[in-house]
Amino acid sequence: MQLQESAISLLLRSPRLSVSLALDLLDISDRDFRLMVKQNAQIAALLEQRKNGELQPPKREFKECPSCDEWFLPYAGARFCSDECLKIHRLESCKAGTITR
């Protein structure tokens, strides 16, 4: 139950994702969710913020690609601006003897 509570609290932070879709993704029943809301103050607070329209989407910040030094908007925590830059970085790492993923 603890893992599901952590996962649902992360999903509820997104104002773009509906509560019902979050429950479906995690295969949580309405009964279990109501129990989670009663027991977990963080989930209850997130639901209240959603109800009041106070949740803001996270701000995206530009990041510099370590391979080509170009600035880009990362998607899902991407470290490189493209697959090509990732491949170049891996090749350079192999040549230098420090393999990173």
Side-chain angles (χ1 to χ4, degrees):
M1 187 80 128
Q2 183 69 12
L3 182 62
Q4 284 184 326
E5 287 180 11
S6 298
I8 196 69
S9 66
L10 290 173
L11 290 175
L12 290 177
R13 293 173 196 234
S14 172
R16 295 183 185 115
L17 188 66
S18 70
V19 175
S20 60
L21 181 58
L23 293 176
D24 287 343
L25 288 171
L26 297 174
D27 197 26
I28 298 174
S29 69
D30 290 339
R31 180 179 169 270
D32 290 339
F33 182 64
R34 281 189 232 108
L35 183 62
M36 280 183 204
V37 172
K38 286 181 184 177
Q39 293 177 348
N40 191 317
Q42 182 184 18
I43 294 173
L46 283 169
L47 282 178
E48 189 65 29
Q49 288 175 343
R50 289 176 72 90
K51 185 174 99 175
N52 296 333
E54 298 171 352
L55 282 181
Q56 299 295 324
K59 294 184 179 180
R60 296 174 51 189
E61 296 180 9
F62 282 94
K63 187 175 176 182
E64 189 174 6
C65 177
S67 182
C68 69
D69 298 326
E70 292 289 326
W71 289 92
F72 71 103
L73 281 173
Y75 176 76
R79 292 181 50 217
F80 299 92
C81 66
S82 65
D83 291 339
E84 289 77 20
C85 281
L86 176 60
K87 289 175 188 175
I88 290 169
H89 177 75
R90 286 183 178 162
L91 287 172
E92 289 173 349
S93 296
C94 286
K95 286 180 184 177
T98 58
I99 299 173
T100 59
R101 295 182 184 227

